[in-house]
Amino acid sequence: MKTTVLAALGFATALSMPANAEEIKVGLLLPYSGVYAALSNDIEAGFELAIEEYGSETDASFVLLREDTEVKPPVALAKAKKLILQDKVDVMAGIVSSGVLGAVRDLIDGAGVPLIVANAGNDEATGAHCSPFITRMSFSNGQVNRPMGPWMVEQGLTKVFTLAPDYAAGRQMIDSFAETFTAAGGEIVGQEFTPFQKTQDFGPFLAKAKASGAQAVYVFYAGGEAISFVKQYDSFGLKSDLPLYGSGFLTSPLYVNAEGPAAEGVITALHYVPTIDNPENAAFVTAFEAKTGRIPSEYAVQGFDAARALIEATKTGATDRDSLANALRQVHFDGPRGTLSIDPATNNIVQPIYVYETVAGDAGLTQKVLATLPATPDPINGCAMAPVSN
């Protein structure tokens, strides 16, 4: 049974658990309004599903307190302060935008409140700006792209043109790919960064790619920009002679149907697709579809695994902020993505990466997994992890 109480700026849900259970207040900090609302809906639905499915395995009960960041760092900081100081949450989860994560990082670290990051991929959050109170259960920007460099060289693609929006995530995604691609013997024959959320016409950039002598194009785009880019790439007539590769957010299950046939044949890499073949994923896809009426995206599994990590942490007896932070750093389990663990040197997730092709299926576009690339920890990247005093 679920009881929902509406509040002025947020709302709380108490998920029923055994009597005398230790109550843990969880602050969900997500952009429930604005351009990332669909992502938040998937993260939250996944989070709730994991508590419903695994909550009985722990003696703890969970009260969810939600706040809307509006994808605005100052708003997110104010909401985080409310959750910590007024609501006195034991743990926080969520954060979609890397800008929002940067805005709340010092507050989280200073207050000593554990935060489970369910999306934001900025490399520095588990690198130079790491904190023992911040554990990432999603991905890092470098992690998703780094394995594709040597894999593409192995496929005989040694000359590549890259494109991405000109902001931190775009540069981190492309830089990590380019580093491993060139180290494996590949050559970046051209590189462009397009104005972020301002580029309506990709034609001039695609013309440069066509004239570069590249064997393929590797890109990072997400959301509305991904839809526009994939459609324009197809209409420009490049796919047959200059195949398109990239970070898996380019053809995310969340919006690939909006790209339509233009997405067919695009090959990308990501930490999750709903066609991963393992028992945990089969059960997750079935349960998520029954709960929401839609196929889970990478955002859904990030919410699911964030809650699962919290549940696993409480199994150790952790209930207060310090003990939860320590327990989260030691979490490991088999989930829909495969075997997951946390690297205690950085508090970043260690997970396999899947190369997949978007293909036409019986019920629309789907994902054909071409390769599973090994799970490897991120570089330390300047992280000096201080211990949590308990």
Side-chain angles (χ1 to χ4, degrees), residues 84-124:
I84 293 170
L85 301 176
Q86 180 177 323
D87 298 321
K88 300 188 184 304
V89 297
D90 301 295
V91 61
M92 295 173 64
I95 311 291
V96 165
S97 160
S98 289
V100 165
L101 180 56
V104 303
R105 185 268 174 204
D106 289 349
L107 173 67
I108 295 294
D109 186 67
V113 179
L115 167 66
I116 307 170
V117 178
N119 189 70
N122 192 303
D123 290 339
E124 293 179 351

Side-chain angles (χ1 to χ4, degrees), residues 28 30-33 35-51 66 94 96 118-119 249 252-256 270 272-274 284-285 287-289 291-307 337:
L28 286 182
L30 290 166
Y32 289 103
S33 59
V35 294
Y36 291 148
L39 281 64
S40 294
N41 290 339
D42 263 20
I43 291 171
E44 180 181 73
F47 197 94
E48 290 182 344
L49 179 61
I51 292 179
R66 299 161 176 82
V96 165
N119 189 70
F249 300 104
S252 167
L254 190 63
Y255 44 75
V256 70
L270 201 58
Y272 177 77
V273 289
F284 170 63
V285 170
F288 189 86
E289 194 169 11
K291 179 181 177 69
T292 66
R294 60 185 184 269
I295 297 294
S297 66
E298 63 273 24
Y299 307 104
V301 83
Q302 290 166 186
F304 185 80
D305 287 339
R337 292 181 254 185

Side-chain angles (χ1 to χ4, degrees), residues 68-328:
D68 183 3
T69 68
E70 303 175 25
V71 206
K72 299 175 182 176
V75 172
L77 184 58
K79 298 293 182 68
K81 286 180 179 177
K82 175 187 177 292
L83 286 169
I84 293 170
L85 301 176
Q86 180 177 323
D87 298 321
K88 300 188 184 304
V89 297
D90 301 295
V91 61
M92 295 173 64
I95 311 291
V96 165
S97 160
S98 289
V100 165
L101 180 56
V104 303
R105 185 268 174 204
D106 289 349
L107 173 67
I108 295 294
D109 186 67
V113 179
L115 167 66
I116 307 170
V117 178
N119 189 70
N122 192 303
D123 290 339
E124 293 179 351
T126 46
H129 297 161
C130 69
S131 164
F133 292 98
I134 297 176
T135 302
R136 180 151 49 197
M137 286 300 299
S138 51
F139 64 94
S140 69
N141 292 335
Q143 183 180 57
V144 173
N145 297 273
R146 196 178 298 114
M148 278 295 274
W151 185 83
M152 287 183 66
V153 172
E154 288 171 8
Q155 311 313 305
L157 299 168
T158 57
K159 294 179 182 294
V160 167
F161 190 97
T162 68
L163 278 163
D166 191 8
Y167 75 117
R171 289 188 173 272
Q172 288 180 359
M173 296 268 185
I174 293 302
D175 287 351
S176 58
F177 164 76
E179 180 181 357
T180 60
F181 180 69
T182 54
E187 178 187 358
I188 303 296
V189 297
Q191 186 172 92
E192 292 287 338
F193 291 96
T194 58
F196 180 42
Q197 294 184 339
K198 295 178 182 177
T199 305
Q200 303 294 321
D201 179 13
F202 290 98
F205 302 101
L206 297 179
K208 289 181 180 180
K210 185 176 182 179
S212 68
Q215 297 168 291
V217 173
Y218 188 91
V219 309
F220 162 71
Y221 287 102
E225 281 194 316
I227 296 169
S228 296
F229 182 86
V230 168
K231 286 185 170 182
Q232 290 184 40
Y233 198 92
D234 185 51
S235 65
F236 211 74
L238 290 181
K239 272 203 307 185
S240 58
D241 298 322
L242 197 58
L244 181 58
Y245 292 77
S247 165
F249 300 104
L250 184 69
T251 50
S252 167
L254 190 63
Y255 44 75
V256 70
N257 286 326
E259 297 169 346
E264 289 183 39
V266 178
I267 296 175
T268 53
L270 201 58
H271 53 291
Y272 177 77
V273 289
T275 52
I276 293 170
D277 185 13
N278 67 50
E280 292 80 10
N281 188 48
F284 170 63
V285 170
T286 299
F288 189 86
E289 194 169 11
K291 179 181 177 69
T292 66
R294 60 185 184 269
I295 297 294
S297 66
E298 63 273 24
Y299 307 104
V301 83
Q302 290 166 186
F304 185 80
D305 287 339
R308 176 82 185 276
L310 176 59
I311 291 166
E312 293 296 318
T314 63
K315 287 183 184 179
T316 67
T319 54
D320 64 87
R321 292 172 172 178
D322 283 358
S323 61
L324 283 169
N326 276 323
L328 285 165

